[in-house]
Amino acid sequence: RNEMKDEIYRINQDLPNIRALDQTAEIQQWMESVIRRINYYKDEHIAILKEATTLLELALWKANLDEKEEDSFGERETKRAKFDTTSEKNEGRITSGARTFCLFSN
């Protein structure tokens, strides 16, 4: 967080010390640097979200199985996942028993 903040404010510190003819090139390089960092952090954020979504889905699935085992006293009730093909978000929507998960794809 501080790294990104420092990069954004760096141009204000460097620009007064640069010749007027070179300022445009320096601003362009700075913008490219900021955009690269934003894209890096965005990619990292997406990877973390995907991992967290998977862990959450597995935890809910396990909790659902545990709940079914407690309710049935040894009788296992099995359900298959259903794909919702009528929805606009059909590429990412999966219905699993009593819960619905939205999985995001990029």
Side-chain angles (χ1 to χ4, degrees):
R1 187 177 195 178
N2 289 334
E3 183 181 334
M4 193 65 196
K5 185 178 175 182
D6 292 343
E7 182 64 24
I8 290 172
Y9 290 118
R10 182 181 62 85
I11 195 68
N12 292 331
Q13 296 168 351
D14 293 347
L15 211 52
N17 301 325
I18 298 172
R19 292 181 337 165
L21 295 174
D22 297 331
Q23 287 183 354
T24 300
E26 182 66 26
I27 291 171
Q28 288 175 338
Q29 288 176 351
W30 172 79
M31 287 173 40
E32 290 170 2
S33 173
V34 169
I35 290 169
R36 272 193 310 273
R37 285 181 192 251
I38 288 171
N39 287 332
Y40 170 79
Y41 288 121
K42 183 178 79 169
D43 292 343
E44 288 291 315
H45 182 72
I46 289 170
I48 290 169
L49 283 177
K50 284 182 180 181
E51 183 178 348
T53 301
T54 301
L55 290 173
L56 178 61
E57 182 180 1
L58 289 171
L60 291 172
W61 176 73
K62 184 181 182 324
N64 194 20
L65 286 179
D66 291 345
E67 186 178 290
K68 287 179 184 178
E69 283 181 3
E70 288 176 9
D71 289 345
S72 65
F73 297 110
E75 297 176 21
R76 289 192 93 149
E77 180 183 334
T78 59
K79 289 187 177 182
R80 293 182 178 213
K82 300 174 195 170
F83 289 93
D84 183 5
T85 57
T86 60
S87 173
E88 291 179 17
K89 297 179 182 178
N90 63 352
E91 67 189 25
R93 188 173 299 271
I94 298 175
T95 306
S96 172
R99 292 183 172 74
T100 300
F101 302 99
C102 291
L103 305 176
F104 301 99
S105 61
N106 284 333

